Amino acid sequence: MVANRGYNSTSAKTRLRLIEAASEILDEEGYPAFTARRIASRAGLKPQLVHYYFRSMEDLVVTVFKRSSANYFRLHDEALSSARPLHALWRLNCHIPEARRMLEYVALGKIYPALRAEMRASGESFRALQIEAIENVCARRGIANPPMSAASLAAMMSAVARSIVIENNVAMTVGHDEIHAFVEATIDQYDPG
Amino acid sequence: MVANRGYNSTSAKTRLRLIEAASEILDEEGYPAFTARRIASRAGLKPQLVHYYFRSMEDLVVTVFKRSSANYFRLHDEALSSARPLHALWRLNCHIPEARRMLEYVALGKIYPALRAEMRASGESFRALQIEAIENVCARRGIANPPMSAASLAAMMSAVARSIVIENNVAMTVGHDEIHAFVEATIDQYDPG
DNA sequence: TTCGGGACTGTACACCTGTCAAGTCGCATG
DNA sequence: CATGCGACTTGACAGGTGTACAGTCCCGAA
């Protein structure tokens, strides 16, 4: 007779190893390598264990994403609490490994609806936090007429950073330095150093 | 004995049907459906014909991309030759089907190096054309100190448009209207209506 | 010492993928 | 009429995918 199929054992060591391996695979080889067999082999485990600990690949990818997201939340929170929150946020947005990973999730989102839902939830809440942080900066610095609204600054930062990463993936470079400098200059108007 | 394997017959009707079908599949079902069998079935043809007309899936995807790209070149050229080139370009950038398609190519680029190379080439040349067009507008209108450099405006337009589409894919909306309005307002400073 | 249950393994299924080799058909040319 | 060749079909290969289910092991409680 079987089995609890440790779906819920959030602490099981082997389960964590799988999550870790899946995360590394996504970072190093991208979404096409996100398969049960590759992940298990990366973790030094039998492929069947993936379905012992996770109902399905969708379940796994959502779990991995949630972990990424929680991790990112810490960095994000740290950035927004720092002395110059907007610069810190911009630096975080431009952090290549994080941005690349998000791109893999975008691809996997085409396949797994539950992942899309999770991405939407976390994406919206990160953006809300950013908007709040930008408004706080404006209030603190007494900036009444900022160059752009808080929402559009937040959206622009993530759009530009994401785009640079996408284009780097195909070895494009034209305009990257310029747009990067422009965003930095814009941020400087809020949060001068 | 076989066969010329119509690799080069650029005009063969069946070959064109396959390219057309591949293009539609990419638009309607996305990169996961970009397989020889699905494409052939969509074209009402036997799957093996794909490899009769194309050396490999990579060969096919590159061919399809080149066609997209050539098509897009016409729209792009038309936009840049219009009375208000920057607004027309912005509208083109925001045209959802085109932007979504590009996203599928990004995903497929992870798998096919030759596609990446093609994307790089066409991407760089589109951007160069845009920069030139922006500089022309500045010269024509006598704008000596534009709000941002031509290169960064071009990069920003495509970054923002692309990002909105990515986020729409996961049903995110926060900040879209605002950033869209900001880009439009920026463009207005170059090319007022 | 028995027993139960959680952790893991072995084996397998059905399906899908890109790719290939050989054969067939029909038409146009000699 | 024969030949040849391009267009297409048949059939298959090797490998990959997610997923299922029964069996085995081991350890801790009774």
Side-chain angles (χ1 to χ4, degrees):
Chain A
M1 189 90 320
V2 222
N4 249 357
R5 308 245 108 149
Y7 295 151
N8 301 322
S9 64
T10 53
S11 65
K13 207 177 53 182
T14 306
R15 195 183 135 102
L16 292 178
R17 244 165 92 195
L18 285 170
I19 295 174
E20 184 64 31
S23 208
E24 291 167 6
I25 286 263
L26 210 53
D27 283 355
E28 293 168 25
E29 312 186 45
Y31 79 88
F34 195 89
T35 74
R37 286 166 177 81
R38 303 273 289 262
I39 290 167
S41 126
R42 163 103 205 193
L45 299 168
K46 306 274 176 180
Q48 302 87 335
L49 282 177
V50 171
H51 284 80
Y52 179 77
Y53 285 103
F54 303 92
R55 248 170 279 272
S56 63
M57 290 307 285
E58 181 167 46
D59 189 12
L60 172 57
V61 78
V62 166
T63 305
V64 171
F65 176 79
K66 280 182 178 164
R67 204 193 64 141
S68 280
S69 196
N71 234 318
Y72 193 78
F73 180 81
R74 261 172 260 132
L75 300 172
H76 192 258
D77 190 52
E78 206 177 302
L80 295 190
S81 319
S82 72
R84 299 174 71 205
L86 303 195
H87 285 87
L89 173 61
W90 174 237
R91 218 175 313 120
L92 179 58
N93 267 314
C94 288
H95 191 236
I96 295 177
E98 307 289 338
R100 283 178 55 108
R101 194 175 310 147
M102 197 50 63
L103 221 78
E104 306 299 334
Y105 287 124
V106 168
L108 289 174
K110 271 266 158 189
I111 306 177
Y112 303 115
L115 175 59
R116 287 200 296 275
E118 211 59 49
M119 290 171 73
R120 180 196 157 283
S122 92
E124 299 262 34
S125 80
F126 279 116
R127 179 142 309 155
L129 289 171
Q130 291 166 17
I131 291 174
E132 196 192 329
I134 295 169
E135 282 167 349
N136 283 345
V137 167
C138 287
R140 184 154 23 102
R141 300 252 183 191
I143 302 175
N145 294 313
M148 59 201 295
S149 74
S152 48
L153 178 57
M156 184 176 81
M157 283 196 276
S158 71
V160 167
R162 186 151 52 202
S163 241
I164 289 179
V165 168
I166 289 177
E167 296 188 358
N168 275 346
N169 270 353
V170 298
M172 280 184 67
T173 59
V174 179
H176 289 188
D177 292 349
E178 290 89 340
I179 184 67
H180 185 98
F182 172 77
V183 173
E184 213 147 47
T186 304
I187 292 173
D188 248 354
Q189 298 186 285
Y190 291 77
D191 210 4
Chain B
M1 187 95 313
V2 221
N4 250 358
R5 308 247 109 150
Y7 294 151
N8 302 322
S9 64
T10 53
S11 65
K13 206 178 51 181
T14 306
R15 195 184 135 104
L16 292 178
R17 244 165 92 194
L18 286 171
I19 295 174
E20 184 64 31
S23 211
E24 291 167 6
I25 286 263
L26 210 54
D27 283 357
E28 295 168 23
E29 311 187 45
Y31 79 87
F34 195 91
T35 75
R37 285 167 177 80
R38 303 272 286 261
I39 289 167
S41 128
R42 162 104 205 192
L45 299 169
K46 307 274 176 183
Q48 299 85 340
L49 281 176
V50 171
H51 284 82
Y52 179 78
Y53 285 104
F54 303 92
R55 248 170 279 270
S56 63
M57 290 306 286
E58 180 167 47
D59 190 12
L60 171 58
V61 78
V62 166
T63 305
V64 171
F65 176 79
K66 281 183 177 163
R67 204 192 65 140
S68 281
S69 195
N71 236 316
Y72 193 78
F73 180 81
R74 262 173 259 131
L75 300 173
H76 192 258
D77 190 52
E78 205 177 302
L80 296 189
S81 319
S82 71
R84 300 174 69 204
L86 302 195
H87 286 88
L89 174 60
W90 174 236
R91 217 175 314 120
L92 180 58
N93 267 314
C94 289
H95 191 236
I96 295 177
E98 307 288 339
R100 282 178 56 108
R101 194 175 311 147
M102 197 50 63
L103 222 78
E104 306 299 333
Y105 287 124
V106 168
L108 289 173
K110 270 265 157 187
I111 306 177
Y112 302 115
L115 175 59
R116 286 201 295 276
E118 211 59 49
M119 290 172 73
R120 181 196 156 283
S122 91
E124 299 263 33
S125 81
F126 279 117
R127 178 141 309 155
L129 289 171
Q130 292 167 15
I131 291 173
E132 196 192 330
I134 295 169
E135 282 166 350
N136 284 344
V137 167
C138 288
R140 185 155 23 101
R141 301 254 183 187
I143 302 176
N145 294 314
M148 59 203 294
S149 75
S152 47
L153 178 57
M156 185 176 79
M157 283 195 277
S158 70
V160 167
R162 186 150 51 200
S163 241
I164 288 178
V165 168
I166 289 177
E167 296 189 357
N168 275 346
N169 270 352
V170 299
M172 279 185 67
T173 60
V174 178
H176 289 188
D177 291 348
E178 289 90 339
I179 184 66
H180 185 99
F182 172 77
V183 173
E184 212 148 48
T186 304
I187 292 172
D188 248 353
Q189 298 185 284
Y190 291 79
D191 209 3

